[in-house]
Structures are given as structure tokens and as C-alpha cells.
Amino acid sequence: MTLSAKSVETGIAPVLIENSPVARNVVIPRRHPGRFLAVVILGIVVLQVLQAVVANPNFHWDIYLTYLFAPQVIRGVGWTLLLTVVAMSVAITVAGLLVILRDRDNPVLRGLAYAWVWFFRGTPIYTQLLFWGLFAVLFPTLSLTIPFGPQIITVETKYILTPALAAILGLGFNESAYLTEIFRAGFNSIDRGQAEAAQALGMGQSKIWWRILMPQAMRVIIPPTGNEAIGMLKMTSLVLAIPFTLDLTFATNAISNRLYQPIPLLMVAGTWYLAITSVLMVGQYYLERYFGKGVSVHPARAE
């Protein structure tokens, strides 16, 4: 049996079934030799890079393995995670309040929310952390006074604003400005008619937020918020400006300054940051899948 020119071009060959006058078409998969060639080339390049890195004595792999799970490094990992979680919690709380203020009819509250976003988004995070670290120098004491009267209570600032609290407030307030815009975009993506319909049914404002608006907005909010959480993790390395001396970056820098070997300790810090980021990405994936139930459809299933 010979194939027609059209069959050769389309990759569909007619096959005659025994004892059947009907011819069925069998789809012949298209070959992709370029993909195989690209995989081979990529594999060769990866092996070459790995060989160059692993066999290079300048990386000092013995020092890397020695301090990868050192107690000082593990303590720095713990403090970095704590800073990330608490600062993100502060940022999410403040951003939620700012979104509510921007939705109010009161121009003073709206102006306050705009000013907050304008200031913390418009100035560098490192500069903000420097001012938080110098806050006790600029304001040595905090006092509660009666206007044009005597002081009621006075306390030294260094006993209230500790380096840990300064790091949390500096990171959280800066991040809240970005999360405010993310949250606002998420809620603006919802049709206003849904809230009006819920009000017509007699639902309260709080119930409308939690039962109608929030689940739909989370589909838009979760992906960029996950990226911001990963950015917050790496931004904790800047708390040296306060200075906060318990995070992962400070711990590895202290060891490298003692050993005069910065490369292996940089790889130790990078390994831990990469590992934590990978866990956060997995969590973000499951959150997106949870809040995207009934909306996202797999392309193969859609066919």
C-alpha cells in the first residue's frame, strides 16, 4: 500500500483493517530531533560546570561542609525565619488596615493611607532600617505628657525599641506599602455588583468581606504575596544596618571574617536561603491551588 502526498505531509497514514472496508487513520507523532540535541548539549554544559566547581580547590568545600550545620549558622537560620514570619504578619495586618482606610469616604483616612504608601514605598529599605537603628539616638527618651503640662511617664527608648523590634518594624512597615497595592488590586478585580447583591440579601459588611470578597480576592493576592514573602526572606540580610546581630547573614559574615574565607561561608548562606525559598515556593503552590478551586482548569483536561 502506498501513501499519498497529503498523508506524508500530515503524518497521518491510512491503515486498512482486516475484513473491513473502512480505512482508519493512525496519527504518527512528530519527531523533534532538536529537543534531543538541546538536552544533550545542556547536559554536557551542566557536567562541565559541575566538574569545574566541584574540582576547584578555591571553593574550600571542607570549610563549607564544616559550617553548613554549625550551631551559629542554625541559630541564624532560626532568627531569619522568625524575622520573616513576624515581619510579614505585621505587613499583612497593616496592609489590610490601609486597604480599608483607602476604601472609606473620610478624606483624612484616605490621605493617611496614601501618605503611608507614598513614604515607605518611595524611600530605600536600607535607609529606613538605618533610621530605625538610630531611633534611640535621635529620641533617647519617650515620654507621655499633658499638653503644656508636666510629664506623666518617661522611659529610655533603648529599653522599648530593641534591635529585634526595630528590625521587625522596619521590614514590616516597608513591606506593608507594597502589600497594600497588591491587596487593593485583588479586591478591585472583583465585580462591585457582588457586594451590592450581598447587601441586598441582608448580609453585614464583615460577612461580605469574609464570605464573598476575600475568597475571590485571594486568587489574585496569593501569587504576588508569595513572591513578596520570598523577597522578605532575603531582605532580612539588610538588618545589619540596625544592627541586628543574630540573623543568618551576620552569622556567616562573622565566621568568614574570623577564618578569612568568605567564599565557602557565602555558599553556606546561599544554600540555606535557597532551601528555605524552595519550601516557601511549595507552600505558595498549594495555597494557589486551594484558593483556585473551581477556577483553574488543566489545559489537557480542558480539551
Side-chain angles (χ1 to χ4, degrees):
M1 180 181 60
T2 59
L3 300 179
S4 63
K6 184 177 181 180
S7 299
V8 174
E9 292 177 359
T10 59
I12 300 177
V15 178
L16 295 178
I17 307 300
E18 187 177 0
N19 299 327
S20 175
V22 181
R24 294 183 181 179
N25 293 329
V26 177
V27 179
I28 301 176
R30 184 179 178 183
R31 301 293 186 264
H32 298 280
R35 297 180 183 179
F36 177 76
L37 181 61
V39 171
V40 172
I41 295 175
L42 182 61
I44 294 175
V45 172
V46 170
L47 290 176
Q48 290 289 330
V49 172
L50 288 177
Q51 181 183 1
V53 172
V54 173
N56 193 336
N58 295 323
F59 283 97
H60 299 283
W61 291 105
D62 55 338
I63 299 177
Y64 168 82
L65 295 175
T66 300
Y67 288 97
L68 183 60
F69 296 100
Q72 186 176 355
V73 174
I74 298 299
R75 184 172 63 249
V77 171
W79 275 102
T80 297
L81 287 173
L82 183 63
L83 282 178
T84 302
V85 173
V86 178
M88 280 301 295
S89 300
V90 171
I92 291 173
T93 303
V94 174
L97 294 175
L98 292 175
V99 170
I100 295 175
L101 292 181
R102 291 182 66 165
D103 196 42
R104 297 297 180 184
D105 296 330
N106 192 327
V108 177
L109 296 180
R110 288 204 313 270
L112 177 63
Y114 276 107
W116 182 283
V117 174
W118 166 77
F119 177 79
F120 284 102
R121 195 171 60 169
T123 54
I125 176 61
Y126 191 77
T127 303
Q128 295 177 29
L129 290 174
L130 280 174
F131 272 97
W132 281 107
L134 296 173
F135 191 86
V137 177
L138 298 173
F139 303 96
T141 60
L142 297 176
S143 59
L144 178 63
T145 61
I146 298 175
F148 305 102
Q151 295 183 352
I152 299 176
I153 185 173
T154 302
V155 64
E156 293 187 29
T157 306
K158 64 181 180 180
Y159 295 124
I160 297 179
L161 193 65
T162 61
L165 181 59
I168 290 170
L169 294 180
L171 294 173
F173 286 172
N174 176 266
E175 185 61 35
S176 66
Y178 296 93
L179 290 182
T180 299
E181 296 301 309
I182 293 174
F183 291 176
R184 187 173 63 89
F187 289 111
N188 287 342
S189 65
I190 305 173
D191 186 5
R192 290 289 182 179
Q194 298 192 35
E196 296 174 358
Q199 290 177 351
L201 293 175
M203 296 180 66
Q205 190 67 28
S206 60
K207 197 170 185 179
I208 292 174
W209 272 86
W210 287 106
R211 299 294 297 274
I212 305 298
L213 301 180
M214 187 68 71
Q216 299 182 71
M218 291 298 286
R219 299 166 186 164
V220 180
I221 292 174
I222 287 296
T225 302
N227 293 335
E228 292 296 323
I230 293 173
M232 173 70 75
L233 171 69
K234 293 178 288 187
M235 200 157 46
T236 56
S237 61
L238 298 178
V239 295
L240 291 172
I242 289 180
F244 183 78
T245 59
L246 296 174
D247 67 299
L248 176 59
T249 300
F250 185 89
T252 54
N253 285 344
I255 298 173
S256 65
N257 292 336
R258 187 174 71 248
L259 299 178
Y260 298 101
Q261 294 289 348
I263 298 299
L265 274 303
L266 285 175
M267 292 191 300
V268 168
T271 300
W272 278 110
Y273 280 119
L274 184 60
I276 300 172
T277 300
S278 301
V279 175
L280 292 177
M281 291 175 64
V282 173
Q284 177 183 346
Y285 167 77
Y286 282 105
L287 279 177
E288 291 181 12
R289 193 172 70 170
Y290 174 79
F291 286 102
K293 289 180 179 178
V295 176
S296 58
V297 180
H298 195 277
R301 297 179 182 176
E303 296 176 358

